[in-house]
Amino acid sequence: RFQATMAASSLALKSAVRLPARRFASHFTFQPSVAPASLGAEKTKMNLCQAVNNAMDIAMDTDKSALVFGEDVAFGGVFRCTVGLQGKYGKDRVFNTPLCEQGIAGFAIGVATIGSTAIAEIQFGDYIFPAYDQIVNEAAKYRYRSGGLFSCGGLTIRATCGAVGHGALYHSQSPEANFTHTPGLKIVVPRGPIQAKGLLLSCIRDPDPCIFLEPKVLYRQAVEEVPSGDYSIPIGKAEVIKQGKDVTMVAWGTQVHVVSEAAKMAEEKLGVSVEIIDLQSIQPWDEDCVSESVTKTGRLIISHEAPLNSGFGAEIASTIQKRCFLSLESPIERVCGWDTPFPHVYEPFYLPTVWRVFDAIKKTVKY
């Protein structure tokens, strides 16, 4: 009996040791991009966190009015995206704020309206909602309500987004669609370090207030050869990262890598050629790029981590249904998060995984 008890305990211990590895395992494989030659020949290996840091470094070096502030950014932030910036640019330009998102956004709007460049960090996208009123009722409307006399265009709000493997309901949400309902804001989500650097620099220098959402699961996992110099990637332009002829798949952020895996499986197992579009900018979004692709393939699948109901995929589906109605060979499919709070231990069941996307491909080509 003693030996049986010890054996059972040993098995339980081994299971307990193995569980975290499964629980924290990523649900995708990062697909690195190659930077076009037009962005510069000199490159440096960076992860997404380092690319974001490099973009802010360049912005502060080229714009003496640029300020970086937020909760804990002085020592580098909880994700270490601002490491070294205070030491280089001083406490007057890189500094901590109180733990008050509404205050961070309000201060950022004030700084931007007097002509400085504000780069504000909201530690988690889940906690951007206390600042929602400031962002959608003040930042987004400042130019309009003043008849163009005033603007807070020099405003970029950085925040994390998406699942990280164990974030649960307050650290895994994707809030991008909440802001697309408000004219006057631009919303951007990069899929990797190359895009993160170029798109963030574009946001910081854009004449409109921007929300830049960083998929936190990619901070360390996404590593690419990033152009070392100062470059930008246009806001509002999607990128076709894989050509195909049978199905168009649209995604952004982390989900680009999920649909890329599913596309590879579909080609190997089903002989289906999939075209993949990284939307990059959620508002404004590249309607022409998606429409041209769907006109060619006749099928569209949209995938994002945010819940299905009122997710930005619904706006894409509505627009493409109108523009490409006579070209569609099957109903537009959406593979998204469920309409529930983000779970903790059941996170793998919530996410729009490779297998869920693969099933959607099978469904749409067999319609």
Side-chain angles (χ1 to χ4, degrees):
R1 184 181 304 172
F2 174 78
Q3 289 178 335
T5 301
M6 291 301 293
S9 298
S10 176
L11 180 61
L13 179 61
K14 289 178 181 178
S15 298
V17 170
R18 287 197 301 267
L19 272 174
R22 288 200 299 268
R23 178 176 170 187
F24 298 126
S26 178
H27 61 286
F28 67 95
T29 301
F30 176 72
Q31 312 286 328
S33 300
V34 177
S38 60
L39 299 184
E42 185 180 344
K43 296 179 175 62
T44 305
K45 192 173 185 178
M46 299 182 193
N47 59 31
L48 193 140
C49 177
Q50 292 167 326
V52 167
N53 181 282
N54 187 222
M56 288 188 285
D57 187 6
I58 291 173
M60 297 191 76
D61 185 56
T62 56
D63 179 0
K64 303 307 179 185
S65 77
L67 307 175
V68 171
F69 51 90
E71 299 167 6
D72 303 321
V73 301
F75 72 84
V78 294
F79 294 103
R80 318 306 289 160
C81 289
T82 55
V83 165
L85 294 182
Q86 188 182 79
K88 187 172 184 179
Y89 297 104
K91 295 181 179 180
D92 290 339
R93 296 184 63 193
V94 182
F95 49 87
N96 292 336
T97 65
L99 305 184
C100 176
E101 285 77 15
Q102 187 176 23
I104 294 171
F107 178 76
I109 292 167
V111 165
T113 56
I114 62 172
S116 292
T117 299
I119 308 170
E121 179 181 299
I122 302 293
Q123 205 166 85
F124 284 89
D126 311 64
Y127 296 116
I128 202 170
F129 298 113
Y132 191 76
D133 176 57
Q134 292 281 3
I135 295 169
V136 303
N137 273 332
E138 303 298 335
K141 298 176 173 65
Y142 216 93
R143 183 186 294 117
Y144 177 83
R145 76 179 193 180
S146 68
L149 293 175
F150 303 102
S151 169
C152 62
L155 167 61
T156 299
I157 297 176
R158 296 177 41 248
T160 63
C161 69
V164 70
H166 50 278
L169 66 168
Y170 289 133
H171 296 86
S172 293
Q173 297 175 80
S174 296
E176 66 269 16
N178 291 274
F179 296 98
T180 61
H181 196 64
T182 303
L185 298 173
K186 293 182 178 178
I187 295 91
V188 176
V189 188
R191 73 174 186 272
I194 296 170
Q195 292 73 33
K197 179 178 175 179
L199 288 168
L200 181 53
L201 281 168
S202 293
C203 286
I204 293 170
R205 294 162 176 171
D206 196 84
D208 294 306
C210 297
I211 298 175
F212 189 80
L213 297 174
E214 301 161 10
K216 53 187 169 292
V217 73
L218 297 180
Y219 273 146
R220 302 295 186 275
Q221 186 168 345
V223 179
E224 293 173 335
E225 294 291 331
V226 179
S228 303
D230 185 343
Y231 69 91
S232 60
I233 295 175
I235 297 173
K237 292 294 183 181
E239 181 182 352
V240 179
I241 62 174
K242 180 182 176 301
Q243 297 285 342
K245 59 183 178 62
D246 298 323
V247 181
T248 298
M249 289 205 296
V250 174
W252 50 89
T254 304
Q255 204 61 20
V256 171
H257 308 291
V258 176
V259 302
S260 295
E261 280 195 63
K264 184 177 180 180
M265 287 175 54
E267 294 189 350
E268 293 173 351
K269 299 178 182 296
L270 306 175
V272 175
S273 175
V274 180
E275 183 151 297
I276 301 174
I277 298 176
D278 175 12
L279 208 58
Q280 298 191 129
S281 298
I282 312 304
Q283 185 71 14
W285 67 283
D286 197 340
E287 296 181 21
D288 291 339
C289 177
V290 179
S291 297
E292 289 169 9
S293 177
V294 175
T295 299
K296 176 178 66 173
T297 65
R299 298 175 178 87
L300 174 61
I301 299 171
I302 308 156
S303 187
H304 56 68
E305 283 188 21
L308 177 73
N309 188 40
S310 298
F312 195 69
E315 176 66 25
I316 299 172
S318 175
T319 301
I320 299 304
Q321 192 273 344
K322 181 177 181 179
R323 292 188 59 167
C324 305
F325 180 74
L326 296 178
S327 300
L328 288 171
E329 300 290 343
S330 65
I332 296 171
E333 292 285 334
R334 287 182 289 160
V335 186
C336 309
W338 305 114
D339 294 327
T340 69
F342 213 104
H344 190 190
V345 295
Y346 296 114
E347 185 173 285
F349 298 101
Y350 179 93
L351 290 169
T353 60
V354 172
W355 293 104
R356 286 178 59 194
V357 176
F358 180 71
D359 285 343
I361 296 171
K362 288 195 296 183
K363 181 180 179 180
T364 194
V365 297
K366 292 180 179 179
Y367 180 80

